[in-house]
Amino acid sequence: MSDDHVYMSLAEGHDDGDARWAFGTGFEDPLHGISTAVPDAVDRGELAATCLELADDALVTAQRLAEWTTRAPELEEEVALANIGLDFLGQARLLYARCGQVDGSQRGEDAYAYFRDADDFRSVRLAELPNGDFAFSMARLLVFAAWRLAHFEQLATHADPVLAAIAAKGVKEMTYHRQYAAEWVVRLGDGTDKSHRRMQAGLDQVTAHLGELFAAHDARTAVLAVLRQVTEAAGLTLPDVPPTPVGHGREGDHTAHLAPLLAELQSVARAHPEATW
Amino acid sequence: MVTTLTDARRARRIAEQVPDPELPMLTLADLGVLRDVTLAADGTVVAELTPTYSGCPAMAEMRAGVAARLAQAGYEHVEVRTVLDPPWSTDWITAEGRRKLAEHGIAPPGPAPRPSAGPVPLVLSTTRRAVPCPRCGATDTEETSRFGATSCKALWRCRACREPFEYVKEI
Ligand SMILES: [Zn+2]
């Protein structure tokens, strides 16, 4: 036992020793040791649906954020976006694991992330849109973090203790991510003529999707308050929110952008379906 | 049951000394992620760990480290459990942990933001606190990146001594 070497410790924690090192650590359940019980008062179907929706939003967002790696304007921003993506990925893992416990399927996180097709994803359309301009990505992160933060604040008192704990942790993370994005929106909006123009365009593009977000979870008051605060500080114009959703990602009705994103995300897992990670 | 108590205390001490994979100058106890170590009736050591951030990739290594150290110390049955509630806070980094961070040139966190009644307010940068330079103590410092090599750290630089430094941000 050579616990000074992480590799050895990890390999020894795995039934197959190091033969399958590339396929993971053996600690695959992110909810390991947490009670799997579901309180009687909780509707299992609703709980599973909520976990799946929030997990899909997080997974797709994490993938888009990871795509900025090697493409961001500065190394620091790449590191920041990758870190933010990791938090989303961590949330997705916890939520998929909880979903598998309550939806009766006993599926693990990989089954949800890697072995479902676009039609089965319940993520909102805004999450899957290509990264586009950096300004668009920052506007999207701001709106998305503000919306998710408001939802998590509400879920932190959910009757299911596992979802409540995931949400309470997520509140802290979303607060940071919202702030990061807000500062970029202010910097670009209040920057040069060119950065202002591109930031306004990014914001316009994102706000067109607010209808879908509010239909999925009505955090209108909280999100619009944040957007007013940020656009005022940035000298940007907050466009009117279109009353009707542009699409229904929550019903599996996605844009053409989700399938290629998933194809890339899922390619290795599908090539090695027996692997554990 | 004196032996059991002593044994539980010994197991706790061993688990407490496991270094954090990402901040190796700190033990898991210093970082405040080791929530409890108990001995079950059947002799199994149950250690409880909480992740710092949801996406913390070091969680598996922490678990492996705790399991390995305890096994090495002769505990045959070890169970490392995850706890999510309450969520980790930098307020749980011990005084000793803060001292070690500063000694290694990493600025320790200030007090974590208190939960607000009503929606979490958005604070734009002008109102953020100044982080003293862990090298020279100057407060003429600025953030260069909100995120560092790990989720829990930001990158700062000191305008007085001109050195960059890492800072464990409050959460
Ligand atoms: Zn200095």
Side-chain angles (χ1 to χ4, degrees):
Chain A
M1 186 68 64
S2 156
D3 59 307
D4 290 335
H5 293 91
V6 166
Y7 165 78
M8 292 300 290
S9 301
L10 289 171
E12 291 197 26
H14 203 284
D15 290 345
D16 300 331
D18 65 357
R20 295 168 64 78
W21 165 249
F23 289 137
T25 60
F27 285 128
E28 61 274 0
D29 179 8
L31 292 176
H32 178 84
I34 294 173
S35 170
T36 58
V38 180
D40 291 339
V42 172
D43 180 319
R44 293 177 89 100
E46 269 176 39
L47 174 61
T50 302
C51 289
L52 190 65
E53 290 166 3
L54 289 166
D56 284 348
D57 282 344
L59 182 68
V60 174
T61 299
Q63 184 71 4
R64 284 294 185 224
L65 286 165
E67 285 174 7
W68 275 111
T69 305
T70 74
R71 294 183 177 96
E74 290 182 327
L75 179 63
E76 283 76 9
E77 301 318 315
E78 237 168 74
V79 172
L81 293 167
N83 267 304
I84 294 171
L86 263 184
D87 281 339
F88 277 104
L89 188 64
Q91 291 174 8
R93 294 189 58 193
L94 295 163
L95 290 159
Y96 283 139
R98 185 56 173 159
C99 189
Q101 291 171 354
V102 300
D103 72 0
S105 70
Q106 299 302 315
R107 278 177 289 180
E109 49 179 324
D110 288 4
Y112 295 101
Y114 297 130
F115 297 99
R116 289 182 305 140
D117 296 327
D119 296 354
D120 301 323
F121 271 72
R122 293 292 174 263
S123 42
V124 291
R125 285 178 164 213
L126 179 63
E128 74 213 29
L129 299 182
N131 282 337
D133 198 16
F134 185 75
F136 166 74
S137 278
M138 289 303 103
R140 170 166 59 183
L141 184 58
L142 172 65
V143 163
F144 199 72
W147 176 66
R148 194 169 173 88
L149 172 59
H151 200 176
F152 276 167
E153 282 184 279
Q154 199 184 72
L155 292 171
T157 56
H158 196 277
D160 178 52
V162 179
L163 178 57
I166 295 168
K169 201 161 184 52
V171 164
K172 293 179 169 217
E173 291 160 3
M174 286 305 119
T175 301
Y176 257 111
H177 304 340
R178 185 185 65 174
Q179 191 180 345
Y180 168 85
E183 286 174 11
W184 263 113
V185 172
V186 172
R187 196 173 298 141
L188 295 173
D190 192 27
T192 64
D193 286 349
K194 188 176 180 185
S195 76
H196 176 89
R197 197 171 59 243
R198 285 166 64 174
M199 193 63 249
Q200 185 67 57
L203 187 69
D204 294 350
Q205 213 184 329
V206 168
T207 44
H209 286 265
L210 281 173
E212 186 195 10
L213 264 56
F214 295 155
H217 175 72
D218 192 359
R220 188 178 299 264
T221 312
V223 172
L224 291 180
V226 165
L227 286 180
R228 273 193 290 270
Q229 182 189 351
V230 173
T231 48
E232 193 174 310
L236 295 162
T237 307
L238 181 60
D240 291 334
V241 177
T244 46
V246 288
H248 298 277
R250 284 281 188 262
E251 289 161 26
D253 169 27
H254 292 284
T255 67
H257 302 296
L258 183 61
L261 177 149
L262 291 177
E264 187 173 24
L265 172 78
Q266 298 171 333
S267 60
V268 177
R270 290 191 177 198
H272 301 276
E274 85 293 359
T276 55
W277 304 88
Chain B
M1 294 302 282
V2 175
T3 45
T4 308
L5 268 176
T6 313
D7 226 27
R9 201 168 298 157
R10 179 171 164 263
R12 177 187 293 265
R13 205 154 295 158
I14 290 160
E16 279 174 353
Q17 293 312 311
V18 175
D20 177 66
E22 290 187 342
L23 293 166
M25 74 291 286
L26 301 188
T27 65
L28 297 185
D30 290 334
L31 189 59
V33 296
L34 184 69
R35 301 310 295 156
D36 206 3
V37 180
T38 51
L39 209 55
D42 65 357
T44 303
V45 179
V46 180
E48 294 188 339
L49 283 177
T50 194
T52 51
Y53 285 71
S54 296
C56 178
M59 194 61 187
E61 292 177 29
M62 290 183 194
R63 291 160 76 155
V66 170
R69 281 285 172 107
L70 286 167
Q72 201 173 28
Y75 294 94
E76 273 181 59
H77 303 287
V78 178
E79 164 99 25
V80 186
R81 292 184 186 158
T82 309
V83 283
L84 294 177
D85 178 42
W88 181 76
S89 163
T90 42
D91 286 351
W92 296 352
I93 299 178
T94 61
E96 174 71 0
R98 288 161 198 271
R99 192 189 58 73
K100 289 179 188 169
L101 284 171
E103 203 176 279
H104 284 79
I106 300 173
R114 297 274 131 237
S116 53
V120 182
L122 171 66
V123 182
L124 294 170
S125 56
T126 44
T127 51
R128 274 210 309 269
R129 82 186 193 105
V131 177
C133 170
R135 199 180 131 92
C136 73
T139 50
D140 186 14
T141 58
E142 63 179 344
E143 182 186 273
T144 51
S145 177
R146 177 65 48 81
F147 294 85
T150 63
S151 285
C152 57
K153 286 178 289 182
L155 297 177
W156 281 61
R157 87 177 139 224
C158 174
R159 291 201 196 90
C161 72
R162 301 191 164 277
E163 288 293 324
F165 64 91
E166 288 183 307
Y167 157 58
V168 176
K169 57 204 180 187
E170 301 86 13
I171 190 169

